[in-house]
Amino acid sequence: MNRYLVKYFSAALVVIFISACGDMEEKSNKLKEQQYTGPQAEIDSMYTVYSDSGKILFTIRASKQVDHFNGDRDFPGPLFIEFYEDEGDKGILASTLSANEGKYVKEENLYTVTGNVIVTNLEENETLRTEELNWLPGSDSIYTHRAVVIRTPTEVLHGEGLSSNQSFTKYRILRPIGEFEVNE
């Protein structure tokens, strides 16, 4: 009778083990389906300085930065960027950019800022206003396809689309609108 009991008990253990493995696999699959897809980090009141060889290239201040696992970043609140130009041993603040919100797409190395975007060339006292602006940090380039208004000390220029360096010292309105003065 002991032999039958041992065989019966062994068979029962094998059945329990096999069914437990099936449950573990099912639980593992459910866990894989429930992977976290939210942000990697959230930073309030952030300030970042980007430099190369000890010289400041630009700074970013934002009320909030949300970092994602793929390297993208969202700036859901106001942000302020300062652009510096290389002048000898130190950088000189050349222009500023402010916007209501923005995002950075790592794969394209592209910042896009939206909502009341203002770029100011501090040396020439010129201001650009638009609703959306793209910035490629590695190429020293900013651009938009939206309506733009540029205020200089002597005139106001209107147009659709703009291409410029990030210091806003050299710019081109893609489709100028209205009357403006041309110096020959």
Side-chain angles (χ1 to χ4, degrees), residues 83-99:
F83 299 106
Y84 290 80
E85 284 190 355
D86 189 13
E87 292 292 325
D89 291 342
K90 59 182 179 177
I92 301 227
L93 180 59
S95 63
T96 61
L97 180 152
S98 63

Side-chain angles (χ1 to χ4, degrees), residues 29-108:
N29 288 337
K30 283 183 182 178
L31 284 175
K32 286 179 185 175
E33 291 173 7
Q34 297 175 354
Q35 285 184 345
Y36 179 71
T37 58
Q40 181 179 14
E42 292 186 13
I43 305 164
D44 290 327
S45 300
M46 66 78 68
Y47 175 66
T48 305
V49 176
Y50 293 85
S51 64
D52 184 14
S53 303
K55 295 179 184 176
I56 298 174
L57 301 175
F58 61 93
T59 65
I60 299 178
R61 294 177 196 268
S63 61
K64 186 171 194 166
Q65 176 178 306
V66 179
D67 292 342
H68 299 278
F69 286 99
N70 64 356
D72 291 354
R73 294 182 183 139
D74 291 325
F75 301 93
L79 69 146
F80 185 75
I81 302 174
E82 296 176 319
F83 299 106
Y84 290 80
E85 284 190 355
D86 189 13
E87 292 292 325
D89 291 342
K90 59 182 179 177
I92 301 227
L93 180 59
S95 63
T96 61
L97 180 152
S98 63
N100 291 347
E101 62 184 7
K103 66 180 177 178
Y104 170 72
V105 179
K106 183 179 181 180
E107 187 175 300
E108 299 173 22

Side-chain angles (χ1 to χ4, degrees), residues 83 85 94-97 119-121 124 126-130 133-145 148 150 161-174:
F83 299 106
E85 284 190 355
S95 63
T96 61
L97 180 152
V119 178
T120 304
N121 170 338
E124 301 293 327
E126 296 178 333
T127 302
L128 160 69
R129 290 182 178 269
T130 186
L133 189 71
N134 299 294
W135 170 45
L136 295 161
S139 71
D140 184 44
S141 170
I142 60 174
Y143 64 92
T144 185
H145 299 293
V148 296
I150 298 174
L162 173 123
S163 145
S164 173
N165 62 346
Q166 69 189 21
S167 299
F168 194 54
T169 55
K170 299 174 186 169
Y171 57 84
R172 189 179 95 204
I173 298 174
L174 303 180

